[in-house]
Amino acid sequence: MEAFSQNGDSVTLNLKGPDGERETVRADWLVACDGGASFIRRTLNVPFEGKTAPNQWIVIDIANDPLATPHVYLCCDPVRPYVSAALPHGVRRFEFMVMPGETEAQLSEPHNMRRLLSKVLPDPDRVELIRQRVYTHNARLAERFRINRVLLAGDAAHIMPVWQGQGYNSGMRDAFNLAWKLALVVNGKAGEALLDSYQQERRDHAKAMIDLSVTAGHVLAPPKRWQGAVRDGLSWLLNYLPPVKRYFLEMRFKPMPQYREGALLTDCAGKTSPVGKMFIQPQVTLESGESVLLDEVIGANFAIIGWGCNPQWGLNAGQIARWRAIGVRFIQVVPEVQIHREQDNAPGTLRVGDTQNRLKSWFALHNTAIAVVRPDRFVAALAIPQTLGAQLTALTEKTDPRNRGYRPR
């Protein structure tokens, strides 16, 4: 891309192909996924707030993994911290901190490579080196994720150190959050204001993951030796407390995505409410007897899921038609033993059996009967049959201001 511009209803891109041929493309929206050095973000003068770590690391990738253990190790060596990670396709990655005064050229010399690898391998000469390079950790977050008709995603919106392995995951969360909203807007089923919820929902969680990754880096490689000694002593003590040990081993400290504003109804949601959190992913039984994941039943749609009740009950024809138009699955969950009772059938509603009793437990825990689940599997609203119509109207008005005051008949 050589340049781009936007106006009130489109984005124009000036492109140059590998053969030098130029092309102009016009689109309704532009999603900038062009990396941490994003040309699009820089052209729009969007601040990329944060900092760059003062120390560098050298990455060494080796084919035919000489360790072959399916683990990732973060080794808090006070002399030279390092990471050992098993990657797909039989690749082993080592990352060593670059110490003051060292250069990439020096560390890449055979005798220095051998010295580094001797810390982690019994025979550092018997390796199939793929590559080695030095890089710097960054922790930065774009001030805005939406600039008129341009949306930033992935590394163009946020970059973070590798210590929690959340860079790729954060980009995927951006994509899942944005894709269904763009689809509704592009197809004329929602107004452009829905896209404002992308930043509302994603930016805070991206920042939380950046902060966690930076903290993990400080634990792995503290700037002072005495801090490392304190870390080691504290870790040794905590290792004798099983609940604390499990807390860290299972990474329960990692902040889960939770939206407190955006395309959902949180007005009456308490701290323990599932609204703004991801719905569960249980096995369910179809009327054919096949056992599948609930995701396979929902597909790339909204879902209005009722425990034991027909989720269409209490909705008028206009509401049902509107939600079917944007893509919704009405799902009735029943105990598995009731899946073949014909009297429970409701036209237009899919019926599934609660194979693992997880859905019954979920609805009981949250004292509700119906969950409105978005295509990205976040809970948008809760209801009982008598309040579902009002909740859907409120959700429609909140996510698409064009329908404010709209009362289907």
Side-chain angles (χ1 to χ4, degrees):
M1 182 190 299
E2 294 184 315
F4 71 94
S5 61
Q6 58 177 321
N7 55 34
D9 59 5
S10 66
V11 184
T12 302
L13 291 74
N14 299 322
L15 308 177
K16 182 179 179 181
D19 57 357
E21 184 176 352
R22 285 180 166 81
E23 180 183 7
T24 299
V25 174
R26 185 179 179 187
D28 292 338
W29 300 90
L30 172 62
V31 181
C33 305
D34 52 340
S38 173
F39 166 76
I40 297 171
R41 186 193 65 242
R42 288 184 287 113
T43 301
L44 292 169
N45 294 316
V46 176
F48 205 33
E49 303 158 347
K51 58 186 178 181
T52 298
N55 51 330
Q56 295 180 309
W57 292 70
I58 184 168
V59 175
I60 303 171
D61 287 343
I62 298 173
N64 293 316
D65 188 346
L67 291 181
T69 54
H71 302 109
V72 175
Y73 302 93
L74 277 70
C75 301
C76 303
D77 187 336
V79 177
R80 188 190 295 270
Y82 66 90
V83 176
S84 171
L87 301 185
H89 312 299
V91 175
R92 171 65 54 171
R93 171 169 292 177
F94 295 111
E95 302 181 24
F96 298 92
M97 179 183 280
V98 177
M99 308 310 291
E102 294 178 330
T103 66
E104 182 171 5
Q106 291 173 338
L107 290 175
S108 299
E109 293 176 2
H111 69 281
N112 283 326
M113 290 288 291
R114 188 181 304 111
R115 178 170 56 87
L116 289 175
L117 293 175
S118 66
K119 294 171 66 72
V120 291
L121 295 174
D123 189 349
D125 293 315
R126 294 180 59 198
V127 296
E128 296 181 37
L129 186 65
I130 299 174
R131 65 156 191 163
Q132 75 272 349
R133 74 178 183 90
V134 169
Y135 69 95
T136 303
H137 290 301
N138 291 279
R140 296 186 178 275
L141 182 67
E143 183 181 78
R144 292 174 290 160
F145 283 16
R146 179 186 176 189
I147 308 91
N148 299 325
R149 305 192 77 81
V150 177
L151 300 125
L152 306 180
D155 284 356
H158 42 71
I159 52 177
M160 62 194 72
V162 301
W163 309 126
Q164 293 298 299
Q166 292 300 306
Y168 179 83
N169 289 346
S170 295
M172 292 296 292
R173 291 188 183 105
D174 291 346
F176 281 119
N177 186 286
L178 185 56
W180 66 271
K181 297 174 182 178
L182 266 177
L184 289 179
V185 172
V186 168
N187 290 311
K189 297 177 180 178
E192 296 176 9
L194 176 61
L195 298 177
D196 291 334
S197 67
Y198 168 56
Q199 174 174 316
Q200 290 177 324
E201 295 175 353
R202 283 296 306 135
R203 192 175 185 277
D204 285 349
H205 185 257
K207 184 180 186 306
M209 296 312 305
I210 291 172
D211 293 343
L212 177 63
S213 298
V214 170
T215 300
H218 290 326
V219 172
L220 173 65
K224 298 184 183 299
R225 292 286 290 270
W226 68 265
Q227 294 171 331
V230 171
R231 172 205 62 203
D232 294 344
L234 186 60
S235 299
W236 182 82
L237 289 173
L238 294 178
N239 203 43
Y240 288 94
L241 299 174
V244 177
K245 183 177 181 179
R246 284 196 301 272
Y247 176 81
F248 284 100
L249 286 177
E250 297 172 8
M251 295 182 67
R252 297 181 190 174
F253 52 83
K254 185 176 73 173
M256 298 301 291
Q258 180 176 1
Y259 305 149
R260 292 179 172 83
E261 58 178 342
L264 35 84
L265 295 180
T266 58
D267 295 343
C268 300
K271 290 184 178 180
T272 60
S273 171
V275 174
K277 301 176 184 177
M278 293 196 76
F279 196 64
I280 58 175
Q281 170 69 305
Q283 288 277 342
V284 295
T285 302
L286 306 181
E287 291 185 278
S288 65
E290 182 183 3
S291 179
V292 300
L293 290 172
L294 182 61
D295 261 4
E296 297 181 42
V297 179
I298 298 174
N301 301 287
F302 282 88
I304 300 178
I305 305 171
W307 169 257
C309 62
N310 174 15
Q312 294 189 63
W313 185 91
L315 300 182
N316 58 46
Q319 288 175 312
I320 293 173
R322 169 167 176 75
W323 280 85
R324 286 201 181 282
I326 66 173
V328 70
R329 295 283 171 85
F330 291 101
I331 300 173
Q332 179 185 21
V333 183
V334 298
E336 188 176 21
V337 295
Q338 297 179 17
I339 189 65
H340 296 298
R341 292 184 60 180
E342 292 186 5
Q343 61 264 40
D344 291 334
N345 287 342
T349 294
L350 298 170
R351 208 154 54 94
V352 299
D354 188 11
T355 309
Q356 303 164 310
N357 288 324
R358 289 183 61 197
L359 286 159
K360 179 182 179 181
S361 298
W362 189 92
F363 281 100
L365 174 65
H366 300 296
N367 193 31
T368 193
I370 299 173
V372 181
V373 181
R374 309 185 326 185
D376 59 359
R377 303 303 187 256
F378 279 81
V379 178
L382 300 177
I384 59 174
Q386 290 189 340
T387 62
L388 178 60
Q391 288 290 81
L392 291 182
T393 297
L395 184 61
T396 298
E397 292 178 349
K398 187 168 186 180
T399 58
D400 190 351
R402 299 178 308 174
N403 293 295
R404 193 151 290 151
Y406 171 71
R407 293 293 185 274
R409 294 179 173 80

